[in-house]
């Protein structure tokens, strides 16, 4: 049995989970798994390389190339022993995975915490439109709505420590936001956690842009995204590209479908 802390994130993708996980993984005795669901692919050669290996190191990762996968039920206990850390952070966000993993982690002796990530839905949809231009905008908007509604229900039902985190607060006031998270989960905090490029990271899955910054350019980006991140300070910055990139057609469609729901998450720079 392991005595430790297992923190999971719910909410929509493209809401800052890679950034937040990388910061929390910089705490003493902590390790950021990335999207831990992908660890289950680690020996499956039928899966693409990016879905079964460390996103930064690949197959030769000093951590994961030596890991023996025994199964989901003991995964977190096994990982904690392997990486010698008592605090594990998982940013998978899949609702079923979260429920199953939380149950298994509890059986292994972990305290379980839950973070609900919130971001202005227009920012989420813009990231998806940029990444998947061939997909239906209406379906992407509805998928965001469903994910947030299901995540809200999961968060409300969670009996243990939990905290809501707005991406825009994390990006504009990271020090106080991370301090509040650490306090909620009774985990150590120090200012060096905010310098994500100063530490080694070995995540499964996650956002390429953030990983480009945290790995000092080891992640390959397409030319359009690379132009944005090459101009990036390398620190924690608020991404409001949706204000310039979302077309009026997309904005009008979003407002008609999700405007009411987004009142909870909408962001203005005056906040």
């Amino acid at each position: 049995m392991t005595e430790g802390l297992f923190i999971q994130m719910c909410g929509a993708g493209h809401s800052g989970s890679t950034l937040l996980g990388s910061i929390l993984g910089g705490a003493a005795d902590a390790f950021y798994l990335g999207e831990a669901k992908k660890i289950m692919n680690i020996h499956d050669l039928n899966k693409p390389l990016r879905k079964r290996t460390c996103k930064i190191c690949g197959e030769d990762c000093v951590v994961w190339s030596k890991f023996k996968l025994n199964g989901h039920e003991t995964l977190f206990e096994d990982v904690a022993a392997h990486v010698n850390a008592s605090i594990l952070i998982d940013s998978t966000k899949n609702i079923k995975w979260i429920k199953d993993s939380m149950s298994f982690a509890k059986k292994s002796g972990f305290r379980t915490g839950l973070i609900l990530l919130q971001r202005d839905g227009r920012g989420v949809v813009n990231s998806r439109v940029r990444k998947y231009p061939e997909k239906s905008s209406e379906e992407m908007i509805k998928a965001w709505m469903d994910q947030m509604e299901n995540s809200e229900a999961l968060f409300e039902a969670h009996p243990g420590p939990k905290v809501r985190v707005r991406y825009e607060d994390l990006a504009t006031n990271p020090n106080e936001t991370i301090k509040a998270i650490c306090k909620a989960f009774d985990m150590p905090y120090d200012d060096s956690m905010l310098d994500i490029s100063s530490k080694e990271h070995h995540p499964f899955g996650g956002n390429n842009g953030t990983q480009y910054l945290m790995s000092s350019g080891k992640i390959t980006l397409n030319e359009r995204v690379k132009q944005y991140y090459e101009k990036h300070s390398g620190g924690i910055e608020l991404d409001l590209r949706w204000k310039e990139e979302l077309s009026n057609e997309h904005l009008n469609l979003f407002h008609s479908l999700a405007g009411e729901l987004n009142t909870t998450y909408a962001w203005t720079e005056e906040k």
Side-chain angles (χ1 to χ4, degrees), residues 24-178:
L24 294 179
D29 203 24
F31 189 91
Y32 174 48
L33 305 172
E35 297 170 1
K37 188 173 187 290
K38 291 185 171 69
I39 300 175
M40 303 304 293
N41 301 331
I42 201 166
H43 300 308
D44 186 352
L45 299 182
N46 293 317
K47 298 290 185 181
L49 197 64
R50 62 186 174 81
K51 291 190 176 183
R52 58 180 171 85
T53 62
C54 170
K55 271 286 293 292
I56 293 173
C57 305
E59 289 182 290
D60 298 326
C61 179
V62 296
V63 173
W64 296 113
S65 64
K66 302 173 184 177
F67 178 67
K68 181 180 179 181
L69 177 65
N70 294 311
H72 194 179
E73 291 196 18
T74 64
L75 178 62
F76 308 107
E77 184 175 358
D78 295 340
V79 168
H82 181 69
V83 301
N84 194 30
S86 66
I87 303 171
L88 301 179
I89 301 102
D90 173 17
S91 60
T92 299
K93 297 178 291 296
N94 176 279
I95 301 295
K96 184 180 185 308
W97 171 264
I98 291 174
K99 290 179 178 179
D100 291 344
S101 298
M102 196 170 289
S103 174
F104 294 146
K106 286 179 179 178
K107 289 178 182 178
S108 291
F110 287 89
R111 292 186 297 120
T112 57
L114 186 62
I115 295 172
L116 173 55
L117 271 170
Q118 302 173 314
R119 184 184 183 185
D120 191 311
R122 293 167 291 187
V124 174
V125 169
N126 183 58
S127 293
R128 291 181 175 172
V129 168
R130 187 193 307 117
K131 189 173 182 179
Y132 308 109
E134 75 284 358
K135 291 189 177 182
S136 162
S137 300
E138 180 174 344
E139 289 180 5
M140 286 190 280
I141 293 169
K142 288 181 177 178
W144 171 75
M145 295 172 68
D146 288 343
Q147 183 69 12
M148 292 311 301
E149 288 169 351
N150 290 332
S151 295
E152 288 281 2
L154 178 71
F155 184 80
E156 289 301 324
H158 179 63
K162 55 189 176 183
V163 60
R164 293 176 183 270
V165 178
R166 181 189 285 273
Y167 157 74
E168 292 88 353
D169 288 335
L170 173 63
T172 56
N173 192 6
N175 187 288
E176 294 305 315
T177 301
I178 298 300

Side-chain angles (χ1 to χ4, degrees), residues 55 208-209 211-212 215 217-223 225-226:
K55 271 286 293 292
N208 285 350
Q211 290 170 344
Y212 179 85
S215 67
K218 292 180 182 178
I219 294 291
T220 300
L221 303 176
N222 67 47
E223 196 56 37
V225 176
K226 189 175 181 180

Side-chain angles (χ1 to χ4, degrees), residues 183-240:
K183 182 178 180 181
F185 297 127
D186 192 24
M187 60 184 289
Y189 169 86
D190 69 75
D191 291 339
S192 69
M193 292 168 62
L194 302 178
D195 185 3
I196 60 173
S197 65
S198 68
K199 299 175 176 64
E200 283 191 12
H201 302 275
H202 302 279
F204 280 77
N207 181 269
N208 285 350
T210 302
Q211 290 170 344
Y212 179 85
L213 298 177
M214 64 198 242
S215 67
S216 300
K218 292 180 182 178
I219 294 291
T220 300
L221 303 176
N222 67 47
E223 196 56 37
R224 181 181 180 186
V225 176
K226 189 175 181 180
Q227 288 178 5
Y228 172 78
Y229 282 99
E230 283 183 336
K231 297 176 183 177
H232 201 283
S233 68
I236 299 171
E237 294 183 3
L238 178 63
D239 182 353
L240 291 176

